[in-house]
Amino acid sequence: MNRPREYGTDEERRAYINSHMSQLHPVMKKLRELMETHPRGFIMSSPNPIMVLSNMLKLAAAKKCVEVGVFTGYSSLAWALSIPEDGKVVACDISTEFTDIGKPFWKEAGVDHKIDLRIAPAVETLQSLIEAGESGTFDFIYVDGDKLNADVIYELSLKLLRTNGIIAFDNSFMHGHLLKPEDEDERQDVSVIRKLNVKIQQDSRVTAVMLDVADGVYVCGKN
């Protein structure tokens, strides 16, 4: 007999999920608390997807990571805490305005030596890694910035990733815009991510699944 499925509302599910997540690392918690009163604090990645991806890094025994879009370094801190002492996170941003907020927290957590902050356009940094002979050596790439160049970043990331490496795109829902039909007056960044989501779903080079956490995270394993 078919029975109706009652999974609760989105709000009920998210409240239940949030109340059953493990405690954050103390330094990560301090950084989140600091940013709660910051005018741009809403940009910080949600803890749920960061914890999911941190677990993936540990399961994959990841050592080499890239992050595109650092902001105050909350997620960079998470990756650095999830990899071995000889691991590294190449953290890409175009300004030190917000990264300077997070750097003391990296040091407090004892992982600042693992984070290589590169202040330059992400495309340039990724290309420089390829030119330095690091193609096929990275385990994990997290993209949470530079939406307009997302397709180029995707292609460069596939070159840098090893087989079975992971690339994860945050904001795959683009704050709900992509859950609705395309609008002729759609913002350019929304349009770019809409096209990239379709491209990824059809791309035989990856095995991809979109996670319904926070603003959506598209997790792609390189085949």
Side-chain angles (χ1 to χ4, degrees):
M1 177 184 294
N2 292 328
R3 297 182 180 180
R5 295 181 175 181
E6 297 293 341
Y7 293 148
T9 65
D10 285 346
E11 290 77 13
E12 290 170 336
R13 288 199 301 274
R14 292 189 189 282
Y16 188 80
I17 289 169
N18 290 338
S19 68
H20 288 79
M21 186 176 72
S22 295
Q23 293 296 311
L24 297 175
H25 185 282
V27 180
M28 293 181 66
K29 184 178 180 182
K30 283 178 65 175
L31 180 51
R32 286 205 72 84
E33 290 173 347
L34 173 67
M35 294 307 295
E36 283 177 358
T37 58
H38 193 281
R40 301 288 289 174
F42 65 92
I43 295 177
M44 181 177 283
S45 297
S46 299
N48 302 61
I50 297 302
M51 190 166 288
V52 169
L53 294 170
S54 293
N55 283 342
M56 288 184 182
L57 264 66
K58 294 171 185 175
L59 289 168
K63 291 181 65 174
K64 292 183 66 176
C65 309
V66 173
E67 174 165 86
V68 175
V70 178
F71 189 45
T72 58
Y74 174 77
S75 47
S76 299
L77 174 57
W79 317 143
L81 288 166
S82 302
I83 59 177
E85 274 298 302
D86 60 345
K88 74 170 181 177
V89 179
V90 178
C92 310
D93 211 300
I94 57 172
S95 169
T96 60
E97 178 182 359
F98 297 112
T99 59
D100 282 348
I101 295 174
K103 287 172 72 174
F105 291 89
W106 299 347
K107 186 174 182 60
E108 182 179 349
V111 296
D112 54 316
H113 63 287
K114 300 182 191 179
I115 302 174
D116 177 9
L117 180 61
R118 308 277 186 100
I119 302 300
V123 170
E124 292 182 11
T125 298
L126 297 180
Q127 187 62 52
S128 70
L129 292 172
I130 292 170
E131 292 171 358
E134 297 196 58
S135 294
T137 66
F138 282 85
D139 304 295
F140 175 74
I141 297 175
Y142 179 67
V143 184
D144 190 23
D146 200 0
K147 305 298 189 206
L148 294 179
N149 286 311
D151 188 84
V152 177
I153 289 169
Y154 175 64
E155 293 296 335
L156 293 174
S157 295
L158 286 178
K159 292 181 181 180
L160 287 167
L161 282 177
R162 63 169 172 82
T163 300
N164 295 325
I166 297 168
I167 177 171
F169 284 91
D170 199 6
N171 306 119
S172 292
F173 300 158
M174 286 299 286
H175 310 291
H177 289 290
L178 298 185
L179 306 182
K180 303 172 184 177
E182 185 173 1
D183 190 312
E184 61 180 16
D185 296 323
E186 193 166 77
R187 287 198 334 247
Q188 188 178 359
D189 58 342
V190 174
S191 180
V192 168
I193 301 303
R194 186 186 296 277
K195 292 174 183 176
L196 179 60
N197 285 349
V198 172
K199 175 178 177 175
I200 289 172
Q201 191 274 326
Q202 298 173 349
D203 193 345
S204 62
R205 296 174 296 174
V206 298
T207 299
V209 60
M210 193 176 290
L211 304 182
D212 183 12
V213 290
D215 191 30
V217 180
Y218 215 166
V219 180
C220 317
K222 180 179 174 180
N223 295 332

